[in-house]
Amino acid sequence: MTKIDLESINVILATDCGSTTTKAILIQKIDGEYRQTHRGEAPTTVEKPFANVTIGVANSVTEVGELAGRKLVSDEGTIIQPASDNEGCDLYISTSSAGGGLQMMVAGVIAEMTAASAKRAALGAGAIVMDVISSNDKRRPHEQIQRIRELRPDMILVSGGTDGGTTEKVVELAELIAPAKPQPRFGSEYLMPVIYAGNKDARGNIEDTLGIDWIDLAVVDNLRPVLEHENLGPARDKIHDVFLEHVMAHAPGYDMLMDWTDAPIMPTPGAVGDILQTIASQRGINVVGVDIGGATTDVFSVFNETFNRTVSANLGMSYSISNVCAEATLPNVLRWVHFDMDERELRNRVKNKMIRPTTIPQSHEALVFEQAVAREALRLAYKQHKEFATTLKGVQQQRTVGDTFSQQSSGQTIVNNMELDLLVASGGVLSHAPRMHQTAMLLIDAFEPEGVTTLAKDSIFMMPHLGVLSSVHPKAAGEVFERDCLVFLGTCVAAKGLGKHGKPCFTYSIEGAISASGSLNFGDLELLPLGQDEVATITCEPAKGYDLGEGPGKKVVREVRGGTVGLILDARGRPLALPDERAACQKTIEQWTEALELYPAASAPEPVGA
Amino acid sequence: MLRRHWAMILGLTTLFLATGTAFATAGGATGSDVAHEWNLLEELFNPKKTWLLIWFILISGVVVYYIRVASSGKDLKVREIAGLSAVDEAVGRATEMGRPVLFINGILDINDIQTLAGITVLSRVARTAAEYGADLEVPTCRALVMTTARETVQEAYLAAGRPDAYNEDRIYYLTDEQFGYVAGVTGTMVRDKPAACIYMGAFYAESLILAETGNHIGAIQVAGTAMPSQLPFFVAACDYTLIGEEFFAASAYLSGDPKQMGSLKGQDMGKLIGAFGIILGVLMATLSVLFGGGIFETVLVYLSEYMFGDDGFLMTIILMAGGGG
Amino acid sequence: MAHAYTPGLKVTSHMAYSVKRILPIKGDVLVSVGDQVQADQVVAETSMPGDIYPMNLANMLAVPPSDVAECLLKKEGDSVDLDEPIAKTKGLFGMMKKTIQSKYTGTIETISNVTGQVILRGAPIPVQVKAYVTGKVVEVLDGEGCVIDADCSYMQGIFGVGGETCGPIRMVGSAHDEPLEASSISEDMSGTIVVGGGRMTAAAIKKARDVGAVAIVAGGIDDQDLRDFLGYDLGVAITGSEKLGITIVITEGFGDIAMARQTWGLLSSREGREASINGATQIRAGVMRPEIIVPHGDAAPPTTSDLDSVEEGLLVEGRPVRIIRDPYFGVIGSVAGLPSEPQVLDSGSKARVLEVKLDSGESVVIPRANVELIEE
């Protein structure tokens, strides 16, 4: 890849090869600013009968070209570079999650320490972690070997031991992998890539144990050189390299695609993580992003520049919908529904959606129910994320006598909803909700943001493209992200704390694009109009015991941004609690539904089964 | 199970009554001329101790109730003790760093309750060490403690399914001499640099020497003792400290034994009653000073002399009634 | 554009079926090209390496890991019996020797001088692969398995649990919408594939298993019944490895739903014939649906040409379709109109729709994603 002169770039083409569709976007420099101008999509062509990913890429790019009135694909079916007046592009980049993305198995000595770090490295690189093997995962060695044998990962990441730490335990891990002889997913004739990122003193032993003819062993710096510090960079980079060299090279057509691109192809979720990190560091904010799909839900967070990603493998809206209902339990799902539904009937419906995942809700009740499931899926995914995104474990604590009665253990979550500035949603059920109000409410109910939080959604799932772009051209990525990628829904102002229903919670006064003032009682929800690109200053005075960001009872002054929904004032308290009794719960949800105008057109619903 | 507990209470009550009678008879013999007029029931029962009996039945009842709840498989909520969850972390750290876990069981012999509580914690530490595959080193100050520790650790390794990983040579006796022992232990610490040091038992002057050395070598340290004078040192120098009662609570919690868990919860209820009594007493005393006696004074006297004293349930009244008759 | 692709399940009276039967690891193939095989015949076998048992001899002997090799009485590759001495310390001046006995039977695979671990491998586990369908071996993959071809009638179900099995087809009930109750299952159905029309009840499944039926097939099942039978709530539709003693296949969906007439008709016409059935379902990348295969064998292939493939097809006016989402789940009708512009649904979403004329004469508007093509 040649050095690119960033200033001379006018036309950028980006594609994302998903499992079913390949999406292409065109970014052009208009009046000195980068804007996303056109998009197109075509079915992905990794599988037979085409078995060449570039056909789908060319098709989607051709569509973009036709819309833009620009010839982007040559007669030979390749992408034209560099750009001339009305032909070609200056920069072409791509991401890929076709064929199930990057699937990895990771191993570490202690599940909560090096194995957790290894998992973080793999997830951060955009992989799906199939299993984590560790010395203390409660499985007997032969069970672990059996498991490794059953898995067919694309690659294995082995870590363990601090530098100068345990050699024995790391070698033990290697001694599990060697006899298990896992088969790579793409055919048995390929070597199984194994990355070793553990104790540097054990490298020799690892090379002895894993230096087998069917393994391609790569050694990088320890990802946990000391327990107090993580060094995930080298392992992540190596995962990307191996992804390109092995996994991508074996997928049909990718060798050609790799020649076309100006930056390495990235796994889609890895690219999404990159753009969120770029945005968080450019603006100095804390961001949470969520992508809810049919089978899985990805949660990304950047808090104080620490990035974390989790994949909740079985929380999704179609293939996994039944699992969401099983994990969350049906009563928990139904608490978000404001009318009666027959449980037995619903269970059958859920299973029918699972076996026919492509259907869409037609009736109002079906939509309300699906959104109720989405709330639970998001809530559970976020819970898993919080449990994973923690401070490092196994670190020595500094104490004073003042800590006598408040000895906090290490490994506390770093996810703090009060410090969250921006919440970004993407994925079918969120981005294609009939009303943006529903998207906003889903986010608030599931994530329970506290204080002042801006809500947004990814307009056309552009984040992966921008993620790769941010590695080549951060400025262009930032500009497009701000102007075209995000659709701002508005801002949520929510009080933390619990109180009695109907007692005062906070008062507010707003100045700027709109002027308003008033007060909210505990349990209230209010929506104020604040349009797209409008900004106002809100001053809130919480009652005693409620916190809006400055501490309990302290006055808060913040700038808030409007959007397609507006300004949402939430005095329902945190943690959000719903009445246990079904009738009372339905009434509460109905009040909130009305306050936020969630389903204005819906007529009174008929009971299911009628 | 339940029947056995109630039988135990009944037995103890009988015993109590018998002792009560003995006292009463003794009291009667020293001069009270009312005593001889008591009938058989009064012979068996010392009315002065009525409140004590009530407390006894109440608290034992609560303990039995909670033991029953615990044995029925219901989860008794015990507040999470940071120091306990830290054991996993400490052992994990040792495993990752390839260094041993050092466990010190205090310097008193096996007959001390703190040493015993420490042994329970040791069992848990050993189990975790066996699961994680960490080396566990236990130098002891008493020969009997060594034998007990060996048994305990071996059992824990067996329970963890790793009997092959047990090495009894790592549990050894140093010396009975307090400072000889400390010198030996600190020497080991400086040489082997264990990644986790766990102190559970009775400690004296050596507490700070041990904890400071451990801090110096960068180990995660967890301490637990009921020695009030040593607690501040542990709190300042260790990562986690189990304070006094917490130490015994941890022992009960770890053993998971319904009897221990139930007793723990029952005792807590007893403490709650005690605390409530103290608060009420303080309140009454204050009010009686402010308002010059009256009803507050009466309640206070009843609290201190009857409910928590030994003037009986309504002893005076009975005596007065008896005297009048 | 007056057509659209919709998913559909394959139900065909005649098809050339080909199946690869592969061992998980290399082994011996017992058949050769041209052989006629029966469904339950073993075509390839091998033995999987046995389970692994590590023994930490360094700790057991109380010696440093590097000295373990010297103390061993056996070397790598030797077989060891249970309680056979495996290692002995040198002792002190030839005294106080400590002997360690093996706790497992197996062969010594490796001796590590870093961890002091000796890894024993247990006896090999035999693995056999059966033919699964009665047919002809057309290809032998050296050491891996073989390919079997058969002319057959082939039906895909929508969902199943339980793995591969085979047996003769046994129809229960007289109509495609008659529920499959326990009362209609009798002792003589042992070893058969029981086929019912409408919903199968939990009692029917239990009874079928108790009488020894190998599989049970029907149009629908209540989720509650399935949950009761499995003992857990099925979260993700990846099935096939359950050990239930019976394979369950439903052809249409969950709830009270009749088997498609075509499937019912095809199965009825094959009553008594040997069939192979597999409940394995995977609804994700690489979709796998349960299947019922009835090889024609020596019998002449059916001449009825109206029972043909309904795989993926085009939505055109007049085509019969089934609605696969509430509020009209399971209802059958025909395409009456294909408006090209997206319409707003009751839910408020905008989607491309089609008009369906129901058998009752009523006409309803349905999103295109919510119908599937059927052949009546």
Side-chain angles (χ1 to χ4, degrees):
Chain A
M1 267 151 250
T2 47
K3 181 95 181 105
I4 303 159
D5 176 18
L6 294 184
E7 283 310 304
S8 67
I9 288 175
N10 291 315
V11 184
I12 303 167
L13 179 66
T15 54
D16 171 40
C17 312
S19 333
T20 51
T21 46
T22 300
K23 303 176 197 84
I25 62 165
L26 191 68
I27 294 166
Q28 288 170 296
K29 205 174 192 175
I30 299 167
D31 301 331
E33 278 187 351
Y34 290 97
R35 298 295 298 257
Q36 183 262 328
T37 50
H38 300 281
R39 72 190 183 99
E41 57 182 54
T44 299
T45 50
V46 175
E47 318 248 327
K48 283 173 185 168
F50 306 102
N52 185 348
V53 72
T54 54
I55 298 173
V57 169
N59 288 345
S60 65
V61 172
T62 309
E63 192 179 330
V64 171
E66 281 167 7
L67 291 169
R70 196 178 175 88
K71 191 175 180 199
L72 293 168
V73 181
S74 73
D75 297 336
E76 293 84 50
T78 58
I79 286 169
I80 301 168
Q81 272 183 296
S84 57
D85 278 348
N86 50 11
E87 253 192 26
C89 60
D90 295 309
L91 191 64
Y92 172 61
I93 50 180
S94 187
T95 57
S96 170
S97 61
L102 168 62
Q103 304 191 356
M104 289 182 67
M105 188 200 94
V106 304
V109 170
I110 297 294
E112 296 81 16
M113 293 168 198
T114 48
S117 296
K119 189 175 173 189
R120 250 191 288 277
L123 285 168
I128 292 166
V129 176
M130 304 167 87
D131 203 351
V132 182
I133 304 281
S134 66
S135 303
N136 64 329
D137 62 9
K138 309 254 178 204
R139 287 180 283 195
R140 312 278 300 127
H142 68 268
E143 290 167 343
Q144 290 173 324
I145 292 176
Q146 192 59 35
R147 179 74 182 139
I148 300 172
R149 198 186 267 169
E150 284 164 11
L151 292 175
R152 299 191 75 172
D154 291 327
M155 68 177 94
I156 299 175
L157 173 63
V158 182
S159 69
T162 53
D163 278 345
T166 179
T167 303
E168 191 186 319
K169 287 278 143 194
V170 187
V171 176
E172 262 179 37
L173 288 174
E175 283 174 0
L176 292 176
I177 296 170
K181 198 177 177 185
Q183 301 279 321
R185 197 154 54 106
F186 292 112
S188 51
E189 60 267 41
Y190 302 110
L191 300 181
M192 169 59 91
V194 176
I195 300 170
Y196 174 69
N199 182 4
K200 67 177 189 314
D201 296 354
R203 282 179 192 169
N205 298 347
I206 290 288
E207 277 159 8
D208 290 345
T209 318
L210 293 181
I212 315 172
D213 53 357
W214 53 269
I215 286 180
D216 183 26
L217 182 68
V219 176
V220 294
D221 286 352
N222 194 351
L223 48 77
R224 200 84 182 258
V226 287
L227 285 173
E228 283 72 16
H229 172 66
E230 254 178 3
N231 178 27
L232 304 181
R236 271 192 61 176
D237 293 345
K238 194 73 205 172
I239 294 172
H240 278 162
D241 291 351
V242 175
F243 175 68
L244 287 176
E245 278 169 35
H246 281 256
V247 185
M248 285 289 93
H250 295 156
Y254 275 96
D255 45 349
M256 218 155 120
L257 188 66
M258 278 193 267
D259 283 345
W260 293 0
T261 57
D262 296 302
I265 300 173
M266 280 175 85
T268 306
V272 174
D274 278 8
I275 184 69
L276 288 177
Q277 284 182 83
T278 309
I279 295 306
S281 77
Q282 272 177 5
R283 304 189 196 166
I285 56 172
N286 298 323
V287 185
V288 166
V290 62
D291 177 18
I292 179 164
T296 60
T297 298
D298 281 32
V299 180
F300 307 83
S301 74
V302 190
F303 279 92
N304 305 321
E305 306 213 337
T306 307
F307 171 71
N308 271 291
R309 165 179 176 246
T310 50
V311 185
S312 300
N314 290 323
L315 296 176
M317 290 309 297
S318 58
Y319 305 105
S320 312
I321 187 168
S322 169
N323 192 59
V324 176
C325 294
E327 258 186 57
T329 72
L330 209 50
N332 261 345
V333 174
L334 283 176
R335 66 193 171 133
W336 301 107
V337 178
H338 55 283
F339 42 80
D340 285 323
M341 292 185 119
D342 176 46
E343 271 202 33
R344 201 177 171 100
E345 177 74 31
L346 273 182
R347 284 187 192 282
N348 284 336
R349 285 189 183 184
V350 164
K351 285 287 189 303
N352 280 324
K353 166 92 181 178
M354 170 183 84
I355 57 177
R356 292 188 166 91
T358 53
T359 60
I360 58 173
Q362 178 178 5
S363 58
H364 169 66
E365 301 92 85
L367 178 80
V368 173
F369 179 69
E370 194 150 307
Q371 292 185 343
V373 177
R375 281 182 175 91
E376 286 301 306
L378 292 170
R379 188 179 63 85
L380 291 173
Y382 197 43
K383 193 169 155 240
Q384 288 179 4
H385 185 79
K386 281 186 202 160
E387 281 162 11
F388 180 71
T390 57
T391 53
L392 297 182
K393 280 194 180 164
V395 176
Q396 203 189 15
Q397 308 279 313
Q398 295 302 323
R399 299 278 187 212
T400 63
V401 176
D403 294 331
T404 310
F405 297 109
S406 58
Q407 300 173 13
Q408 260 212 344
S409 51
S410 65
Q412 299 287 324
T413 184
I414 57 166
V415 173
N416 181 348
N417 276 351
M418 191 56 98
E419 287 174 7
L420 176 62
D421 300 298
L422 176 63
L423 180 53
V424 185
S426 71
V429 69
L430 291 169
S431 20
H432 297 150
R435 272 173 73 76
M436 302 269 190
H437 296 68
Q438 295 162 5
T439 309
M441 192 65 171
L442 248 61
L443 287 176
I444 298 171
D445 287 345
F447 289 84
E448 303 188 19
E450 293 161 5
V452 180
T453 315
T454 310
L455 309 174
K457 72 164 195 173
D458 184 2
S459 58
I460 53 167
F461 201 54
M462 211 192 292
M463 286 199 284
H465 306 103
L466 298 182
V468 190
L469 184 58
S470 72
S471 67
V472 189
H473 201 318
K475 181 169 164 278
E479 286 180 10
V480 177
F481 184 82
E482 171 75 7
R483 294 193 182 83
D484 299 306
C485 176
L486 290 191
V487 175
F488 285 94
L489 304 172
T491 304
C492 170
V493 178
K496 182 182 175 180
L498 288 174
K500 274 211 175 108
H501 264 269
K503 295 271 188 246
C505 184
F506 65 89
T507 61
Y508 66 88
S509 67
I510 303 166
E511 279 172 22
I514 55 164
S515 300
S517 63
S519 68
L520 276 89
N521 292 335
F522 183 77
D524 288 356
L525 193 63
E526 203 172 318
L527 175 66
L528 297 172
L530 187 62
Q532 197 88 40
D533 299 326
E534 287 182 346
V535 175
T537 306
I538 188 167
T539 310
C540 293
E541 298 226 25
K544 206 173 151 215
Y546 294 103
D547 186 1
L548 279 158
E550 295 288 343
K554 298 239 171 74
K555 187 168 104 176
V556 173
V557 182
R558 290 275 197 285
E559 192 156 274
V560 291
R561 177 175 189 150
T564 48
V565 177
L567 178 61
I568 301 161
L569 302 176
D570 184 351
R572 299 178 297 169
R574 297 287 186 269
L576 198 56
L578 284 166
D580 291 329
E581 205 258 314
R582 185 80 187 104
C585 183
Q586 279 183 2
K587 199 161 160 267
T588 312
I589 293 289
E590 196 161 354
Q591 281 168 2
W592 294 346
T593 304
E594 274 167 26
L596 224 65
E597 302 157 28
L598 289 187
Y599 311 105
S603 49
E606 287 171 33
V608 169
Chain B
M1 178 81 183
L2 176 68
R3 209 172 290 154
R4 215 171 65 219
H5 283 126
W6 286 116
M8 196 171 77
I9 290 203
L10 199 70
L12 283 169
T13 314
T14 321
L15 191 71
F16 172 86
L17 288 174
T19 10
T21 321
F23 278 117
T25 326
T30 48
S32 167
D33 55 354
V34 189
H36 70 273
E37 284 182 16
W38 288 5
N39 58 23
L40 183 66
L41 181 74
E42 284 164 338
E43 285 288 330
L44 279 170
F45 187 77
N46 179 0
K48 284 185 171 181
K49 305 276 182 185
T50 313
W51 265 109
L52 194 56
L53 178 66
I54 293 171
W55 293 135
F56 176 75
I57 293 175
L58 188 70
I59 293 171
S60 319
V62 172
V63 169
V64 170
Y65 169 74
Y66 278 111
I67 290 178
R68 199 185 149 216
V69 171
S71 354
S72 75
K74 210 176 152 207
D75 210 16
L76 280 188
K77 197 181 158 355
V78 173
R79 177 176 64 90
E80 198 188 327
I81 302 171
L84 271 190
S85 29
V87 165
D88 289 352
E89 198 182 332
V91 178
R93 179 181 168 92
T95 317
E96 290 282 7
M97 296 176 76
R99 301 209 198 132
V101 177
L102 187 72
F103 189 96
I104 312 289
N105 205 171
I107 59 161
L108 291 188
D109 215 331
I110 198 72
N111 58 354
D112 187 83
I113 186 73
Q114 295 189 54
T115 313
L116 279 175
I119 288 284
T120 319
V121 179
L122 171 64
S123 156
R124 155 70 183 266
V125 174
R127 197 179 167 140
T128 314
E131 278 167 8
Y132 287 22
D135 282 336
L136 175 63
E137 200 164 334
V138 189
T140 67
C141 189
R142 309 280 161 162
L144 270 179
V145 176
M146 179 190 81
T147 338
T148 321
R150 280 187 173 177
E151 288 274 315
T152 311
V153 173
Q154 188 171 17
E155 212 168 272
Y157 271 70
L158 201 66
R162 296 291 309 274
D164 57 319
Y166 170 66
N167 182 353
E168 67 170 23
D169 294 350
R170 304 301 295 262
I171 301 160
Y172 50 89
Y173 163 74
L174 277 177
T175 164
D176 270 23
E177 252 341 287
Q178 182 184 11
F179 285 101
Y181 175 71
V182 173
V185 171
T186 46
T188 312
M189 283 162 92
V190 172
R191 281 189 304 274
D192 294 352
K193 295 205 169 40
C197 299
I198 300 167
Y199 315 104
M200 296 280 163
F203 291 89
Y204 290 89
E206 66 284 351
S207 65
L208 192 59
I209 306 175
L210 294 173
E212 264 306 311
T213 315
N215 198 351
H216 185 72
I217 57 167
I220 283 196
Q221 302 197 95
V222 187
T225 187
M227 292 292 194
S229 53
Q230 306 307 321
L231 275 169
F233 301 126
F234 276 142
V235 169
C238 292
D239 296 52
Y240 303 93
T241 313
L242 304 176
I243 299 155
E245 274 296 299
E246 231 179 20
F247 178 35
F248 300 117
S251 160
Y253 173 70
L254 282 182
S255 68
D257 174 15
K259 276 183 224 139
Q260 284 202 46
M261 285 292 283
S263 317
L264 180 68
K265 197 88 181 171
Q267 281 171 30
D268 280 356
M269 286 298 151
K271 280 175 215 153
L272 208 67
I273 295 170
F276 181 73
I278 292 170
I279 292 170
L280 192 68
V282 168
L283 200 71
M284 288 304 135
T286 314
L287 290 176
S288 79
V289 170
L290 285 177
F291 298 104
I295 178 82
F296 304 119
E297 180 73 33
T298 317
V299 174
L300 182 64
V301 169
Y302 191 76
L303 261 177
S304 58
E305 304 296 326
Y306 293 78
M307 288 179 83
F308 296 110
D310 53 2
D311 272 3
F313 190 66
L314 285 172
M315 184 71 169
T316 342
I317 302 167
I318 295 170
L319 287 181
M320 272 158 53
Chain C
M1 202 169 81
H3 61 263
Y5 285 101
T6 65
L9 300 171
K10 198 178 200 116
V11 176
T12 175
S13 62
H14 186 230
M15 171 180 135
Y17 182 81
S18 178
V19 63
K20 239 186 195 176
R21 307 298 293 163
I22 301 287
L23 286 166
I25 53 167
K26 288 220 171 196
D28 303 322
V29 183
L30 307 175
V31 291
S32 44
V33 177
D35 284 3
Q36 199 68 35
V37 289
Q38 292 301 310
D40 53 1
Q41 184 181 338
V42 176
V43 292
E45 65 181 4
T46 185
S47 26
M48 292 266 277
D51 289 339
I52 295 283
Y53 307 103
M55 288 175 72
N56 195 325
L57 285 187
N59 280 334
M60 292 162 101
L61 295 166
V63 297
S66 51
D67 293 355
V68 167
E70 293 170 26
C71 302
L72 274 176
L73 303 171
K74 303 267 177 182
K75 55 183 191 301
E76 279 185 26
D78 286 0
S79 59
V80 184
D81 281 334
L82 185 69
D83 291 332
E84 189 182 338
I86 184 169
K88 196 185 228 176
T89 49
K90 293 206 183 71
L92 203 59
F93 308 116
M95 291 188 301
M96 293 166 70
K97 285 182 181 172
K98 191 171 177 183
T99 312
I100 303 291
Q101 275 119 13
S102 169
K103 288 177 188 156
Y104 313 97
T105 307
T107 36
I108 296 183
E109 177 138 318
T110 54
I111 300 160
S112 169
N113 60 2
V114 181
T115 58
Q117 277 203 119
V118 168
I119 293 181
L120 281 181
R121 198 183 273 278
I125 307 155
V127 182
Q128 293 186 326
V129 173
K130 290 185 178 173
Y132 175 48
V133 284
T134 304
K136 198 168 143 188
V137 179
V138 292
E139 190 186 345
V140 169
L141 307 157
D142 200 26
E144 290 181 63
C146 63
V147 181
I148 297 166
D149 272 11
D151 277 338
C152 63
S153 300
Y154 182 86
M155 282 142 279
Q156 272 183 332
I158 189 84
F159 176 79
V161 287
E164 297 173 348
T165 182
C166 58
I169 293 176
R170 179 71 181 263
M171 305 302 285
V172 170
S174 54
H176 73 109
D177 54 358
E178 191 181 315
L180 178 49
E181 307 276 2
S183 56
S184 44
I185 290 170
S186 54
E187 292 290 335
D188 61 341
M189 291 179 183
S190 171
T192 63
I193 296 171
V194 177
V195 181
R199 178 170 76 88
M200 60 172 93
T201 60
I205 306 172
K206 280 198 189 85
K207 178 106 183 266
R209 183 180 60 182
D210 294 345
V211 303
V214 294
I216 182 165
V217 183
I221 188 173
D222 215 278
D223 177 44
Q224 190 66 43
D225 288 348
L226 178 68
R227 205 154 58 127
D228 291 348
F229 187 70
L230 287 176
Y232 57 91
D233 196 359
L234 199 78
V236 185
I238 296 173
T239 65
S241 56
E242 299 80 8
K243 301 268 175 278
L244 302 167
I246 190 165
T247 295
I248 302 172
V249 171
I250 57 167
T251 59
E252 315 303 316
F254 287 87
D256 257 315
I257 179 165
M259 184 180 283
R261 273 204 196 93
Q262 191 207 5
T263 317
W264 174 259
L266 185 52
L267 283 166
S268 303
S269 71
R270 301 288 181 277
E271 181 161 16
R273 302 287 302 272
E274 280 286 331
S276 302
I277 184 166
N278 186 1
T281 312
Q282 184 179 323
I283 310 169
R284 266 205 198 175
V287 180
M288 217 162 106
R289 295 283 186 185
E291 55 184 12
I292 307 166
I293 301 147
V294 194
H296 298 319
D298 305 329
T303 47
T304 41
S305 58
D306 56 333
L307 300 171
D308 248 341
S309 166
V310 199
E311 217 189 346
E312 294 193 344
L314 298 175
L315 271 179
V316 285
E317 281 185 36
R319 280 283 304 253
V321 288
R322 182 185 10 236
I323 303 169
I324 52 170
R325 175 95 196 217
D326 53 275
Y328 302 102
F329 181 77
V331 177
I332 288 167
S334 59
V335 180
L338 290 159
S340 57
E341 283 306 304
Q343 287 190 13
V344 177
L345 309 173
D346 284 354
S347 63
S349 321
K350 231 177 179 184
R352 299 190 65 197
V353 296
L354 82 168
E355 230 174 276
V356 178
K357 192 159 176 268
L358 305 183
D359 289 352
S360 61
E362 193 191 346
S363 185
V364 292
V365 174
I366 304 287
R368 288 191 188 184
N370 294 0
V371 295
E372 73 185 11
L373 290 174
I374 54 161
E375 199 77 30
E376 283 290 315

